[in-house]
Amino acid sequence: MAEENAISPYAGRGSEVDQCFFKGELSRVLRGVIVQVSNVEQAKIAEEAGACCVLLSEPIHIGIMRMPDPLLFIEIKRVVSIPVIVKVRVGHFVEAQILDNVGVKHFDESDETSAVDQEHFINKHRFKESYFVCGCRSLGEALRRVKEGAKMIKTQGDMAAYSSGNNITETLRNVRSVMADIRFLHSMNEDEVFAFSQKISAPYDIVKKTKEIGRLPAINYAAGGIATPADAALMMQLGCDGIFVGLEIFQFSKPCDRLRGIVQAVKGYNDPSVLAQASFGVGAI
């Protein structure tokens, strides 16, 4: 039986994905909200508001976000029932080894501003029972990360905006770009796919899989500057499976109410009446 707190793949939004492609049980991410947290109290607020997972990270220090204290992961696991994803620096396989040793099964290797190795990402296939979240700004980048073993893709914008909040311009641009390229790929004939895979510098087999299913062969969340129910619904209507909310959410006057509204908006992203209700009372920016 799958672990109760496992994250499992949602491949819907009009297309079916071969479940074996994921090589594991990844749940709770259908139209989900993952909230970045840095302490136990924030994790409690996120769970109370309806988040499907929390992403544990330490606050940025001089532009760098390192692996959080493993003890903090253990403390959060004791008080929340939802999965806990833990941030590691891009390419820092030793951070992943340490976290794996204390029981972490979900890793976020997506913040290239804190990369220790921008050319060599962690070999995710070495962590047999674990699941990685990786970032992208283009379809080619997303499919390269999937080939490396990522089970979730975070289509993200300006990570400085992700940390400071409120600006989703680049996130919107990148989500639209990825979705447009998938639609373009899906309409190609077989002879064009190989050339397209070379153009975007992505492995042919993964590009071909993407064409067949008409979507990324991984869970696809948006991240960067998403701070209101309307922002969240915008990403969902563009085709994302869910969203990440950054640490800036806890700087607002009513973080729990705002998060509840965002969760409600993600679940009812196509219903204007639901979105209006979700926007009431979320507090000042």
Side-chain angles (χ1 to χ4, degrees), residues 105 121 228 265:
K105 294 303 178 187
F121 281 67
T228 69

Side-chain angles (χ1 to χ4, degrees), residues 71-279:
L71 181 59
L72 185 55
F73 163 75
I74 294 171
E75 291 173 346
I76 288 176
K77 282 290 290 181
R78 288 174 180 162
V79 299
V80 300
S81 61
I82 56 179
V84 180
I85 305 169
V86 184
K87 185 172 284 293
V88 294
R89 282 176 284 177
V90 170
H92 206 315
F93 56 86
V94 174
E95 287 187 345
Q97 290 171 356
I98 292 169
L99 293 170
D100 182 66
N101 185 258
V102 300
V104 174
K105 294 303 178 187
H106 311 302
F107 299 87
D108 182 297
E109 186 196 18
S110 65
D111 188 358
E112 293 189 11
T113 61
S114 297
V116 297
D117 190 337
Q118 293 183 340
E119 295 185 2
H120 302 93
F121 281 67
I122 295 170
N123 183 352
K124 298 151 193 63
H125 299 289
R126 290 187 175 181
F127 298 85
K128 301 297 184 184
E129 303 300 323
S130 300
Y131 308 107
F132 280 77
V133 181
C134 286
C136 86
R137 292 178 176 82
S138 67
L139 178 59
E141 187 177 15
L143 297 183
R144 291 193 294 274
R145 301 290 85 82
V146 171
K147 184 64 173 180
E148 292 168 0
K151 297 297 188 293
M152 178 184 284
I153 295 298
K154 181 193 292 185
T155 303
Q156 57 196 24
D158 182 356
M159 298 314 288
Y162 184 27
S163 301
S164 60
N166 304 335
N167 187 352
I168 65 168
T169 303
E170 189 177 341
T171 304
L172 176 63
R173 182 185 305 118
N174 293 339
V175 167
R176 283 191 179 278
S177 173
V178 169
M179 297 304 178
D181 281 348
I182 291 173
R183 290 192 298 271
F184 179 55
L185 171 62
H186 191 55
S187 68
M188 287 181 183
N189 63 47
E190 294 296 331
D191 295 335
E192 296 172 316
V193 176
F194 183 74
F196 184 74
S197 69
Q198 292 182 311
K199 180 181 178 181
I200 65 173
S201 302
Y204 171 73
D205 59 332
I206 302 295
V207 175
K208 187 172 183 291
K209 183 75 175 182
T210 305
K211 170 185 164 48
E212 291 170 355
I213 63 179
R215 57 156 290 147
L216 283 181
I219 303 161
N220 183 18
Y221 270 44
I226 300 169
T228 69
D231 291 343
L234 176 62
M235 296 297 112
M236 297 298 294
Q237 289 192 26
L238 289 174
C240 294
D241 297 322
I243 63 156
F244 278 84
V245 174
L247 284 171
E248 73 276 2
I249 197 73
F250 298 104
Q251 299 172 4
F252 296 124
S253 59
K254 298 178 181 179
C256 193
D257 290 346
R258 181 174 290 270
L259 275 175
R260 281 199 190 97
I262 290 173
V263 169
Q264 185 179 356
V266 166
K267 291 179 178 177
Y269 66 93
N270 255 339
D271 187 333
S273 64
V274 170
L275 298 180
Q277 185 65 38
S279 300

